[in-house]
Every structure is written in C-alpha cells, then in structure tokens.
C-alpha cells in the first residue's frame, strides 16, 4: 500500500475547508494514518519546497505556506499518490478539472487550498519532514473488505 502526504494549506484552514477536504479522502475509502494541525517554520517550508528554490514565486510560496496553521494528513491506500493528485486537480485551480478539490474551492494558483505529494519518492521525503515515526498510526479496518476486492 502506498502512502502520500496531503496538507490543507493556510487558506484551506482559514476558509473552514479542512473537514470537507478530509471527508473527500475518507469517503473515497483511503485510510488516514496521520493527522495534525501545526504551523510550518520557514526552515521546513524551504525544505519541503526545495525543488522550487530560485523560481520567481518561491518567496511568496514560503510566505503563504507559513502564514497560518496547516493540517498535515498522511493517507494510505492503493495507488494513493496519483489518485490523490487526481482528486486535487491541476496546480492552477482555474485549470483544474471540474469536481476536483482545487477546482471546487480555489481560483488563484497561489491559494490552491491543498498540497499532495507528486510521487512515491516525494511522499516518503515529505512524510519524514512533517511526521515523526510514532505519529503515524497502524491499525486495521473491518470495512477494508468492502473497499478492496
Ligand atoms: P503542486 O502543488 O501541484 O505540486 P508545484 O509543486 O509545481 O505544484 O508547485 C508548488 C506550489 O507552488 C503550487 O501548489 C503553487 C505554487 N506555484 C507553482 N507554480 C506557480 C506559478 N507559476 N506561479 C505561482 N505559484 C506557483
Ligand atoms: Mg509539487
């Protein structure tokens, strides 16, 4: 089973979209194994978004992601990395497919409500940045037999 790192960004928290966003992944059938609210330090923001250092939007991206609390979510499930990216929609909310999270709740690329890892390698890196080993919970769910064949 894959894991991915999702994060309700500060705009999503301020706009009371946290429950709505978590609910989409719960209803889909994915399993939440880590969940917490926190504020990202500049240092961790620069580490998390390291691939974007030097790009014109980097400083405003770090300003935005550190501007208020976020909700970090680790989700487990079959193909969850790419499935979650599909559920989120394109980076630019106005270009995201209708019905996706970013399309439903966002307009500007710099206020796109949610983060999700873009690969299995990134998810391992990002989970390690934001969660300690003991903060991830292993448990079984009886309903998995109704979700997976
Ligand atoms: P994603 O969040 O879809 O993985 P990304 O990793 O390319 O997108 O970029 C990280 C964030 O940076 C993205 O969610 C919003 C911001 N961003 C990306 N491209 C941008 C651009 N051209 N102008 C402004 N902000 C941008
Ligand atoms: Mg990305």
């Amino acid at each position: 089973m894959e894991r991915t790192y999702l994060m309700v960004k500060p705009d999503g928290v301020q706009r009371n979209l946290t429950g709505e966003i978590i609910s989409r992944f719960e209803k889909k059938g994915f399993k939440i194994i880590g969940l917490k609210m926190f504020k990202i330090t500049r240092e961790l923001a620069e580490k998390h978004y390291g691939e974007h250092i030097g790009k014109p939007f980097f400083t405003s991206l770090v300003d935005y992601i550190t501007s208020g609390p976020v909700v970090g979510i680790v989700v487990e499930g079959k193909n969850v990395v790419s499935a979650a990216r599909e559920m989120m929609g394109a980076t630019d909310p106005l270009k995201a497919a209708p019905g996706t999270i970013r399309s439903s709740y966002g307009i500007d690329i710099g206020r796109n409500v949610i983060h999700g890892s873009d690969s299995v390698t990134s998810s391992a890196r990002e989970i390690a940045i934001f969660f300690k080993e003991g903060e991830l919970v292993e448990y079984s769910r009886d309903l998995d037999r109704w979700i997976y064949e």
Side-chain angles (χ1 to χ4, degrees), residues 9 49 51-52 57 61 85 91 102 109-110 112 115-116:
K9 293 181 175 179
Y49 281 127
E51 66 178 299
H52 300 301
F57 59 86
L61 176 61
R85 294 280 297 188
T91 306
R102 284 165 165 173
I109 195 169
N112 62 3
H115 167 82

